[in-house]
Amino acid sequence: MTGTDAAASVRELAARLVDAETKRTPIAALTTTCGPFGVGTAYEVQDAVVAARVQDGAVVAGAKLGLTSAAKQRQMHVDQPLYGWLTDHMALDVGQPLDCGRLIQPRCEPEIAFLMSRDLAGPQVTAAHVLAATAALYPAIDVLDSRFAGYSFTLPDVVADNASAAGFLLGGQATEPGGVDLRLTGLVLEKNGELVGTAAGAAVLGHPAAAVAWLVRALAGRGRGLAAGQVVIAGALTEAVPVAPGDTIVAHFDRLGTVELACRD
Ligand code: 0L1
Ligand code: MG
């Protein structure tokens, strides 16, 4: 394939994903209908998907990590983390319900969010650098919505699909990172008042800040980094929970506070 053909096919794959999201119509996994492609190509498709949203007026608000816990990797049958991008259009405010009517097959999962106080980039960044560049930590809920029918995909598919990004909510309590050992941060997750998950921060690649450091190093490989003011959600502590109108998800984090999301039509 020539460089021009490859670029056209990246654009074509991205257009299918944008169309699926816009029309709320799931599609078959790209690797089944278009043939296999690698994770490198998948990130190019992801970039094209995000660029299309920016073209429509969205602003990149930060990044998300995915598949950072053994529970999520098992659930999705993959063996490595991934990242995607958050836009301002995905942001939910405290008390704002999730409009399920705009989504295909929404799921929610509890995460720890980092608000960056300064730019951070480079191939040697560690968890310590991440914590030093963090203004505040928040309890967060990641709203996922796979554009693939049956939530069925390979790692390149879900990378191309911008890590199933659909929404994110930060809780109302901001905590300075100094003095909090995020490995030991306990989590209790409830759906409609029933316990559906428990975990500790160490479920996220050993330490949520280490997960963000992995992201920064991965971005460095593509000549990119994080910017001051961006939010990073570091990856789920538990499996994702399917949600429908009428459901309420509450994530209680030790020290970091509680975040609650009501789902409506
Ligand atoms: O946030 C995530 O873990 C993204 C991974 C995508 C797989 C999923 O949709 O659960
Ligand atoms: Mg997530």
Side-chain angles (χ1 to χ4, degrees):
M1 198 186 291
T2 67
T4 315
D5 290 344
S9 102
V10 163
R11 276 201 305 277
E12 154 66 14
L13 295 179
R16 289 188 195 202
L17 287 164
V18 170
D19 202 49
E21 182 182 348
T22 307
K23 296 187 175 143
R24 205 185 159 215
T25 305
I27 56 175
L30 299 173
T31 50
T32 60
T33 50
C34 307
F37 55 91
V39 171
T41 301
Y43 277 110
E44 290 177 33
V45 177
Q46 181 190 100
D47 284 346
V49 167
V50 175
R53 291 302 174 208
V54 169
Q55 180 82 21
D56 288 345
V59 174
V60 173
K64 62 171 287 181
L65 282 128
L67 309 179
T68 45
S69 72
K72 282 277 315 198
Q73 291 186 5
R74 262 196 313 273
Q75 183 184 30
M76 294 295 134
H77 310 290
V78 303
D79 60 2
Q80 54 180 291
L82 80 175
Y83 65 84
W85 295 98
L86 304 172
T87 68
D88 57 345
H89 290 185
M90 298 177 192
L92 293 156
D93 208 347
V94 175
Q96 181 185 349
L98 174 66
D99 180 2
C100 292
R102 70 176 175 83
L103 302 175
I104 300 167
Q105 44 195 343
R107 295 182 176 185
C108 289
E109 53 189 22
E111 309 210 3
I112 294 171
F114 292 68
L115 175 64
M116 306 310 295
S117 59
R118 53 179 196 252
D119 297 356
L120 193 59
Q124 309 293 347
V125 164
T126 65
H129 297 117
V130 170
L131 290 169
T134 298
L137 302 166
Y138 293 85
I141 293 177
D142 181 20
V143 180
L144 301 162
D145 191 29
S146 178
R147 271 55 74 166
F148 298 123
Y151 237 97
S152 176
F153 45 72
T154 64
L155 183 65
D157 289 306
V158 66
V159 167
D161 191 21
N162 194 25
S164 305
F168 66 101
L169 168 66
L170 306 192
Q173 177 180 325
T175 303
E176 284 183 14
V180 182
D181 186 344
L182 290 177
R183 290 175 312 150
L184 304 182
T185 300
L187 161 82
V188 171
L189 182 67
E190 294 167 350
K191 177 179 172 181
N192 304 331
E194 288 196 4
L195 181 67
V196 289
T198 57
V204 180
L205 287 188
H207 192 302
V212 179
W214 176 89
L215 166 69
V216 176
R217 294 193 301 271
L219 291 176
R222 305 185 66 222
R224 301 171 75 171
L226 297 174
Q230 288 189 332
V231 169
V232 181
I233 54 173
L237 281 72
T238 66
E239 288 190 2
V241 178
V243 291
D247 288 339
T248 299
I249 296 291
V250 184
H252 305 272
F253 288 87
D254 186 33
R255 312 273 310 260
L256 302 184
T258 292
V259 56
E260 173 168 344
L261 181 61
C263 305
R264 69 165 185 212
D265 249 329

